[in-house]
Amino acid sequence: MTTLPLAPSGTTPLRVLTIAGTDSGGGAGIQADSRTIALCGLHACVAVAAVTVQNTVGVSGFHEIPPAVVADQVRTVVSDIGIGAAKTGMLASTAIIEAVTDVCTEVGIGRGGSVPLVVDPVSASMHGDSLLHADALDALRTKLIPLATIVTPNLDEVRLLTGIDVEDEATARRAAEALHALGAQWAVVKGGHLRTSSSSTDLLFDGERMLEFTNPRIDTGNDHGGGDTLAAALACALAHGYAVPDAFEFAKEWVTKSLEAAYDLGHGHGPVSPLWRLHQSADA
């Protein structure tokens, strides 16, 4: 299951909303989200929460969008276009997180609503550059994550959110339990950054079931935007009505193939690439 059903040509595809920051280098953030959503065959809507100044080497700055403007983008899109799923990425500040939480609750996105919500709790770039004010971690924990259908942190974000350093299977399971306890319906602990393993095993936990998804590790330094790509693909599958475990299985396969197709760019880390989809027929 590496592709999703396509809407017939000339008909309106399903829609996914990404609420996140931009990446001026095009490898991550809203650019990566929109690329994956389009190549999955869905229509991407966006609510820009921050504008970053970055390239493949690092992030040199970011500008926050006023919280009311972020919320208005969400409200305006949902009231006119309608969406099948939403995801969050870089939200930068407590005020933006609170505004996004409030508007999502208002328009029926997230737990208690009809639209599933993927929360990618972006806190820092892959280069270690901060993308979230330190005082905003509590807002992620207490405001946004409890609204999530599924939360998808990387291992650095797991440590920031739970205080647990994931080093092996036992600590990964503890981390999944701690993440779920923050209130998300499902919690993911991703193994892609656990470099001591020859495979990439992700854990998916709903409070009762601890599911494992394992793929071979792709040996590449071009993994910029991998977390965004996974979360966007997951949102696309949820928009199609897939159950969370099936949606995550699809997203895991999608990002694995995107890692295999990653390419060099600039002087730093190149992006994962869903452009592999263009080489397959719609029926593949």
Side-chain angles (χ1 to χ4, degrees):
M1 181 178 59
T2 55
T3 58
L4 296 172
L6 296 177
S9 179
T11 66
T12 304
L14 296 171
R15 282 80 65 202
V16 169
L17 171 65
T18 171
I19 312 166
T22 68
D23 175 356
S24 49
I30 276 178
Q31 283 79 1
D33 292 343
S34 297
R35 188 161 54 237
T36 280
I37 293 166
L39 287 166
C40 280
L42 289 81
H43 176 88
C45 301
V46 303
V48 180
V51 176
T52 70
V53 180
Q54 67 174 296
N55 54 25
T56 65
V57 177
V59 180
S60 56
F62 64 83
H63 172 75
E64 299 162 33
I65 304 301
V69 176
V70 180
D72 282 345
Q73 291 175 82
V74 175
R75 189 178 292 112
T76 300
V77 165
V78 173
S79 65
D80 173 49
I81 298 171
I83 57 171
K87 72 167 291 287
T88 64
M90 176 190 178
L91 298 182
S93 71
T94 295
I96 293 174
I97 292 169
E98 290 177 343
V100 168
T101 300
D102 289 346
V103 75
C104 283
T105 301
E106 173 192 327
V107 301
I109 297 172
R111 299 190 71 175
S114 59
V115 177
L117 174 65
V118 179
V119 172
D120 186 10
V122 174
S123 305
S125 75
M126 67 178 301
H127 309 94
D129 303 304
S130 177
L131 296 174
L132 182 75
H133 294 303
D135 63 1
L137 279 171
D138 277 343
L140 274 178
R141 293 188 192 99
T142 63
K143 302 286 187 180
L144 189 60
I145 290 176
L147 199 63
T149 305
I150 181 168
V151 59
T152 63
N154 63 31
L155 294 187
D156 288 332
E157 291 155 355
V158 167
R159 175 177 48 80
L160 289 171
L161 289 167
T162 69
I164 298 172
D165 274 312
V166 175
E167 300 174 339
D168 51 26
E169 181 179 351
T171 50
R173 287 176 172 267
R174 280 179 47 217
E177 292 167 353
L179 276 172
H180 182 265
L182 295 176
Q185 183 180 350
W186 291 84
V188 174
V189 173
K190 298 183 285 190
H193 290 96
L194 193 59
R195 305 298 184 186
T196 56
S197 174
S198 61
S199 61
S200 173
T201 297
D202 298 345
L203 299 180
L204 182 63
F205 183 59
D206 71 345
E208 296 181 359
R209 293 173 288 173
M210 187 78 73
L211 307 178
E212 293 188 0
F213 299 82
T214 300
N215 286 69
R217 182 178 299 282
I218 307 301
D219 185 18
T220 178
N222 294 328
D223 53 359
H224 189 43
D228 308 279
T229 298
L230 176 85
L234 179 53
C236 288
L238 292 174
H240 273 278
Y242 287 37
V244 171
D246 294 333
F248 188 78
E249 181 180 17
F250 165 76
K252 174 81 168 172
E253 292 181 7
W254 181 273
V255 77
T256 298
K257 292 186 73 67
S258 297
L259 279 162
E260 291 173 343
Y263 51 83
D264 293 333
L265 189 71
H267 295 91
H269 294 277
V272 304
S273 176
L275 296 175
W276 61 265
R277 178 67 177 86
L278 299 176
H279 299 285
Q280 291 194 341
S281 73
D283 297 324

